[in-house]
Amino acid sequence: MLSKIVRTVTNEFMLFIVVFGLYIIAHGHLTPGGGFQGGAVIVSGVVMLLVAFNSQELKKTLSERVLSIMESTGALIFIALAFAGIGAAFFYNFLVGTPILGRIPATGPNPGDIWTGGVIPLMNLAVGLKVVAGLSAVVLALALFSSGEEMEE
Amino acid sequence: MIESPSGFWGPVVWIIAAIVALLIAYFIQRRGEKAYKKGVQSETFLMGNPKLSEGETHIRAHNIYWGFFEGLKKYYVPTITAHTGIINDHLIWLIAGIAIVMIILFVAGGI
Amino acid sequence: MEHIPLNFPFLAAALLVGISLYILIFKKNLIKLIMGIAMLAAGVNLFLVSLGFRAGGAAPIYTNVTEGPMVMPVPQALTLTSIVINVAVLALMLTMAIHIYRHTGSLDSEKSRKMKG
Amino acid sequence: MAALITHSPILIIAIPLLAAFLTLPIGRAGGKARNVLVIASLAFVEFLVIILARDIYLNGIHIYTLGATSPELTLPGGAMVPIRIILEVDAMSIFMGIIWATVSLAAAIYSLSHMARETGQNRFYTLLLLMVAGCFGMIFTGDLFNLFVFLEIASISGAALIAFRTRFADAVEGGFKYIVISAVAGLIFLFGVGLLYAQYNSLNIGFLANAMQYSTLDIIALTLFLMSLTIKTGMVPLHMWYPDSYTVAPANITAMLVITSHACMYAVFRICFSLYGITLDATTVGWIIVIIGLLTMFVGVTMAVFQTDVMRFMSYHAISQMGYMWMGVGVGLAVLGNPEALATYGRDAISGGIFHILNHAMYKPLLFMTAGALFHRTGTRDLNKMGGLGHNMKFTLILYIIGTLSIAGIPPLNGFASKFLIYESVYQFNPVLAVVAMLVSIITLASFTKAFQSAFTGPQLPEYKDVKEVPKPMLIGMGILAAGIIFTSIFPGLIVERIVNPATDALINQAAYVNGIMGGGMP
């Protein structure tokens, strides 16, 4: 447990990291980034929290149950999106051309239109959710290992 | 029935032949000494040594093929010592294997 | 050096793989072995990324596409997947190294082994 | 039904993946529901594999492009390079698919009671289903990088399953060795994929086979592929990690890991026959594989005779049996050059090797499961401590005898059928190989009688007085494999004609494989 100042600053700062991570995930199909990179940014925030608070404190909020639920929902959304395109083929991008996220991107230099890409942004969000849950579970488990306990089943 | 370059393998034919052979053996056994009773034979004669308990009479696994290993000692000692459990040795074998196969392929390719 | 020779990244990749092979062979400590594998992964990934290099090509981001050639995006996707896989493999190896240390009290690949022959 | 068949290649991979991530939420509801989910999903996958097999035997190679407007579209818009990940399932892939589906179903049923006392069972079944999906992906994919990704998925979940019982020190060490070897092998494989991508700018096996000129870079790539995949199958000089990992895993996981090493062997065959085909220097590569097979057979079985730990003993046997497959298919590859030798004995050698994969995939998991049953009841793997277990473990005794007779190649059972094919055809290629193969069979029989004598026969030891038979699911799991062995032993002709020969032809016929990709383009 670091000093009170550090703890309050990390609490405030965590918000910006999560927003920046979500930005990277959401714009995955426009600018460099995507599910894994955005998730990794958010997990760097979780590591910062882990440094500020010791692993027992963090275990109360990011308990093993919360993490496994997040991970399962992320994976199930991803596979459901993949299955939804089964009409044509497995990973078929069925949202292209439809009003949801379906606009055709303009070619040539343009600021980029987020409402394009069909299924890809949704898949990025699902992968981001799963990566945040997975990597923070890894980081938390390693921290708990070194301090002797196990993550309870 | 599998065909092969110089023969065939028919399991059904083989099983029938085996049954016929067993029947013949059974008939020969039937003509044996009738007077023999199953339970008459007494305990095995151990030259007066004390009767061993259940555990000792059972030959354990490590000394069943003792002679085989003794005979092939010159082959077994180096192979078993080569099987160190160290991961680094396993990776040395891998890298040596890649080098050897690459040399063979280049030399063969070159000729 | 105003113009870096084309196969400079391949040299760097070969160097990385060479050093990691040295580590894999000679370093007995398990954690150093894991670092060796991470370095091998970095070498292979650098090799993969530098495959898509086109001289004077722009980054393959379609929104601010400039006239002129573009760098190949496929090797970058391959490298990304390979990095993700290596994160999972490293995490698994580290947890197992901790378990081995906890069971045998030593991280030396010679002293901590239980099975041989 | 027709839609189910067209989409079956990806469904076979996606359904275990879906079930893997469903086990966690459903597992919270209750163990029973999770077990039903696992077995139901694997049974459905088995059904899908059977209908896909029927469809392939009727009308040839089955293509599936992920994400295209229609599954068969491999060259969209008349492009010359196949785009997207393409699953290509030909007779050889579905042959491995049938094996993998049956063995994973049997192993899952076996693990219901074998792992009943373990904690964290939800995660066990998640990892098991991930390994099933990974190995199916390795078997069905037609894309080299996709093969690397599925290889890694199967390796990571396999290593985690090996080290599942973290309370045993050697289990964690076995898992660590498995993951280190798999990581290094995967990265070396990736280096080879990079080499090929650098020259031909594509990852699809069909396209690469079409454009292959066997340049020096391709030779280097071939060695990297060959060595990185054969270390995963336990080739002799590189096999020393194999017994350490396969001894300590739970018995059903070892049974499945043997089949993942078969899948790695399948990948070597796919690379040698379909990717390189006639362009590679067939005699040299063939002879390398034959010598690998010879070494693997001999060293594997001589080390096996020496062991006293029952699981380690059987892992060494798995290595030595792989030698038969290497030798069979290696001879076929060596004569790939001259068609007349190929016709007389080359094709029989390959079908002998592939038939041996099928037989080995049935009796080796059965033997590992019987060893697991012994461990389940006596709590030890050391043969020196066992004795007289035949008295009260009757079914395990019968199943063990079936497995032993089959692995040693005793006439009526299926081991003999495939070894017979290998002996006959390999003898024509070079008599020494057949002589060594028979010698190894004799030593195999000798070593299994040793294990049989020390574990099952002999007086009933006092400490195993109250040992009961293994619970029902374990017997069902073993029973499925024993039934498969008996069926293959009585009708080998049917199996060879219907399943093995199409697989051999699919392997030899590289043009059909390439045409499946390049010919499949629609505007």
Side-chain angles (χ1 to χ4, degrees):
Chain A
M1 284 277 261
L2 300 181
S3 71
K4 190 119 179 71
I5 304 166
V6 173
R7 274 183 278 133
T8 42
V9 165
T10 40
N11 274 341
E12 305 313 323
F13 211 61
M14 183 58 185
L15 193 62
F16 299 109
I17 292 178
V18 169
V19 165
F20 180 62
L22 285 177
Y23 161 73
I24 291 182
I25 294 174
H27 287 72
H29 57 291
L30 295 173
T31 53
F36 181 72
Q37 298 87 332
V41 165
I42 295 176
V43 167
S44 66
V46 169
V47 167
M48 189 180 68
L49 279 178
L50 188 62
V51 168
F53 302 84
N54 61 27
S55 44
Q56 271 69 30
E57 284 302 315
L58 204 60
K59 209 170 101 166
K60 293 195 189 70
T61 50
L62 277 181
S63 77
E64 195 269 337
R65 232 171 62 79
V66 167
L67 286 181
S68 68
I69 290 168
M70 262 168 74
E71 190 166 14
S72 306
T73 43
L76 290 177
I77 296 169
F78 183 82
I79 296 177
L81 287 172
F83 262 106
I86 199 79
F90 187 59
F91 270 107
Y92 181 62
N93 196 339
F94 58 94
L95 285 181
V96 168
T98 58
I100 314 147
L101 286 168
R103 275 204 224 110
I104 309 298
T107 54
N110 60 58
D113 169 2
I114 191 165
W115 201 252
T116 59
V119 181
I120 295 171
L122 302 178
M123 283 193 176
N124 275 337
L125 288 172
V127 167
L129 186 65
K130 186 167 178 21
V131 164
V132 167
L135 278 186
S136 40
V138 163
V139 164
L140 206 55
L142 288 181
L144 286 166
F145 267 170
S146 52
S147 59
E149 298 89 11
E150 294 275 322
M151 285 185 79
E152 91 286 359
E153 168 32 35
Chain B
M1 253 286 271
I2 320 177
E3 293 300 324
S4 84
S6 58
F8 69 92
W9 159 242
V12 180
V13 170
W14 187 89
I15 289 170
I16 294 165
I19 290 167
V20 164
L22 284 175
L23 279 178
I24 295 168
Y26 180 69
F27 284 139
I28 294 168
Q29 196 259 355
R30 290 300 304 155
R31 304 196 47 78
E33 183 51 50
K34 295 281 187 307
Y36 170 70
K37 301 279 179 313
K38 192 146 181 45
V40 163
Q41 194 191 15
S42 62
E43 286 300 309
T44 50
F45 176 64
L46 291 169
M47 273 90 73
N49 295 334
K51 185 175 179 327
L52 299 171
S53 76
E54 293 293 323
E56 281 116 8
T57 53
H58 180 53
I59 299 168
R60 301 293 172 175
H62 62 270
N63 51 25
I64 287 173
Y65 286 128
W66 174 80
F68 185 73
F69 305 137
E70 204 56 38
L72 289 171
K73 185 170 283 300
K74 274 203 294 304
Y75 162 76
Y76 266 107
V77 167
T79 16
I80 288 171
T81 44
H83 286 70
T84 63
I86 312 165
I87 308 165
N88 306 67
D89 297 352
H90 304 161
L91 294 170
I92 292 173
W93 279 109
L94 170 65
I95 291 156
I98 291 175
I100 292 165
V101 169
M102 208 174 277
I103 290 165
I104 293 172
L105 280 181
F106 274 121
V107 164
I111 297 160
Chain C
M1 196 150 57
E2 41 78 27
H3 174 62
I4 298 174
L6 259 186
N7 51 16
F8 213 59
F10 299 127
L11 240 58
L15 206 62
L16 266 173
V17 169
I19 293 170
S20 75
L21 289 186
Y22 171 80
I23 293 171
L24 290 181
I25 292 175
F26 291 107
K27 288 303 164 204
K28 292 280 185 223
N29 188 324
L30 295 185
I31 302 293
K32 286 184 183 149
L33 193 72
I34 295 172
M35 288 181 207
I37 293 176
M39 193 177 280
L40 180 65
V44 172
N45 291 342
L46 176 62
F47 171 70
L48 264 182
V49 167
S50 50
L51 285 179
F53 174 73
R54 294 297 176 269
I61 305 164
Y62 292 102
T63 47
N64 57 7
V65 70
T66 57
E67 305 320 313
M70 228 185 234
V71 174
M72 295 268 283
V74 170
Q76 296 174 0
L78 303 187
T79 323
L80 182 60
T81 329
S82 164
I83 290 169
V84 167
I85 288 172
N86 283 308
V87 162
V89 164
L90 286 179
L92 193 64
M93 279 196 269
L94 285 174
T95 37
M96 285 190 189
I98 293 175
H99 270 294
I100 288 179
Y101 181 74
R102 192 173 285 174
H103 274 299
T104 59
S106 104
L107 267 182
D108 186 305
S109 66
E110 210 154 337
K111 284 193 264 304
S112 74
R113 69 191 159 134
K114 293 229 167 304
M115 300 174 276
K116 60 183 171 57
Chain D
M1 190 53 177
L4 207 56
I5 291 178
T6 49
H7 290 295
S8 56
I10 192 61
L11 286 181
I12 292 171
I13 299 171
I15 283 173
L17 209 63
L18 184 66
F21 293 116
L22 275 175
T23 44
L24 231 48
I26 290 182
R28 289 203 185 288
K32 197 62 63 201
R34 179 206 54 227
N35 291 350
V36 165
L37 166 77
V38 168
I39 300 300
S41 61
L42 284 176
F44 184 57
V45 161
E46 170 94 33
F47 164 70
L48 280 178
V49 163
I50 289 167
I51 57 170
L52 179 59
R54 223 167 50 78
D55 172 60
I56 284 174
Y57 293 138
L58 291 180
N59 38 38
I61 293 184
H62 193 113
I63 302 286
Y64 196 90
T65 323
L66 296 179
T69 44
S70 87
E72 275 72 26
L73 177 66
T74 54
L75 302 166
M80 280 320 290
V81 178
I83 303 171
R84 295 192 177 90
I85 297 174
I86 297 167
L87 303 181
E88 179 154 11
V89 189
D90 67 353
M92 180 65 190
S93 329
I94 200 63
F95 171 81
M96 295 300 295
I98 293 167
I99 296 174
W100 180 233
T102 6
V103 170
S104 53
L105 183 63
I109 295 172
Y110 182 90
S111 68
L112 291 185
S113 60
H114 188 60
M115 302 302 285
R117 292 189 293 268
E118 299 293 336
T119 63
Q121 298 225 343
N122 297 340
R123 288 203 175 61
F124 178 82
Y125 287 108
T126 308
L127 287 169
L128 190 125
L129 287 165
L130 271 179
M131 199 160 109
V132 169
C135 208
F136 266 127
M138 250 169 74
I139 290 169
F140 283 164
T141 181
D143 187 289
L144 268 182
F145 185 73
N146 207 15
L147 184 67
F148 162 72
V149 170
F150 280 119
L151 180 73
E152 286 290 335
I153 293 174
S155 312
I156 293 173
S157 43
L161 283 168
I162 288 177
F164 193 75
R165 305 180 289 202
T166 46
R167 60 187 185 280
F168 294 129
D170 47 13
V172 182
E173 188 202 335
F176 185 75
K177 279 185 187 160
Y178 187 81
I179 193 67
V180 162
I181 294 290
S182 305
V184 172
L187 288 171
I188 290 173
F189 183 83
L190 186 59
F191 207 93
V193 170
L195 283 175
L196 286 187
Y197 181 79
Q199 293 176 327
Y200 305 109
N201 280 334
S202 162
L203 294 165
N204 191 290
I205 294 181
F207 179 81
L208 286 175
N210 206 7
M212 175 65 70
Q213 281 107 24
Y214 200 60
S215 64
T216 47
L217 272 187
D218 293 338
I219 295 179
I220 298 171
L222 174 67
T223 25
L224 295 182
F225 291 146
L226 207 60
M227 298 314 283
S228 64
L229 286 169
T230 40
I231 189 172
K232 290 271 289 174
T233 65
M235 185 191 78
V236 155
L238 317 173
H239 69 291
M240 290 155 196
W241 63 275
Y242 193 97
D244 298 349
S245 312
Y246 282 42
T247 326
V248 291
N252 50 14
I253 298 305
T254 321
M256 292 171 80
L257 284 172
V258 166
I259 310 299
T260 38
S261 52
H262 284 186
C264 290
M265 177 182 273
Y266 156 81
V268 169
F269 297 154
R270 181 63 68 198
I271 282 165
C272 287
F273 283 93
S274 303
L275 176 59
Y276 281 86
I278 341 117
T279 60
L280 67 81
D281 177 359
T283 39
T284 343
V285 178
W287 263 104
I288 290 175
I289 293 184
V290 161
I291 290 176
I292 289 174
L294 218 61
L295 265 172
T296 317
M297 259 196 274
F298 188 72
V299 172
V301 88
T302 38
M303 283 305 288
V305 178
F306 192 74
Q307 302 304 328
T308 54
D309 176 329
V310 67
M311 291 289 266
R312 197 170 179 79
F313 158 80
M314 291 199 180
S315 328
Y316 273 114
H317 273 299
I319 294 173
S320 83
Q321 292 299 319
M322 287 276 192
Y324 282 94
M325 306 166 205
W326 284 124
M327 204 174 65
V329 184
V331 162
L333 183 62
V335 291
L336 203 59
N338 50 43
E340 148 280 332
L342 190 70
T344 47
Y345 58 87
R347 189 168 166 278
D348 280 331
I350 297 180
S351 53
I354 290 173
F355 190 26
H356 200 65
I357 295 179
L358 174 69
N359 294 337
H360 181 68
M362 277 196 277
Y363 57 68
K364 184 44 77 176
L366 175 65
L367 285 167
F368 271 122
M369 289 181 190
T370 41
L374 290 178
F375 175 74
H376 193 74
R377 280 306 177 209
T378 59
T380 166
R381 292 196 303 262
D382 190 351
L383 281 173
N384 291 335
K385 295 194 177 60
M386 294 187 201
L389 287 167
H391 296 286
N392 22 34
M393 291 176 86
K394 286 284 182 289
F395 288 109
T396 320
L397 177 69
I398 296 164
L399 293 165
Y400 181 85
I401 289 174
I402 293 174
T404 310
L405 293 179
S406 186
I407 194 170
I410 305 298
L413 285 167
N414 64 359
F416 176 76
S418 55
K419 282 182 181 170
F420 165 79
L421 271 177
I422 291 175
Y423 292 154
E424 292 273 339
S425 48
V426 159
Y427 182 83
Q428 317 232 328
F429 180 67
N430 183 331
V432 172
L433 305 180
V435 166
V436 173
M438 282 188 193
L439 176 70
V440 168
S441 274
I442 298 163
I443 305 179
T444 316
L445 179 63
S447 53
F448 266 93
T449 41
K450 169 179 117 167
F452 175 73
Q453 192 275 340
S454 50
F456 286 100
T457 60
Q460 195 169 28
L461 298 183
E463 64 263 26
Y464 300 130
K465 189 77 69 196
D466 52 10
V467 161
K468 299 188 299 305
E469 184 48 282
V470 276
K472 200 60 65 206
M474 288 166 87
L475 286 177
I476 297 169
M478 294 194 265
I480 294 173
L481 292 173
I485 288 177
I486 290 165
F487 179 77
T488 326
S489 331
I490 296 169
F491 305 107
L494 176 77
I495 299 276
V496 167
E497 216 42 56
R498 279 289 167 67
I499 297 178
V500 174
N501 281 344
T504 326
D505 301 337
L507 211 51
I508 295 172
N509 187 351
Q510 185 197 13
Y513 191 87
V514 169
N515 183 3
I517 300 278
M518 305 308 288
M522 269 177 287

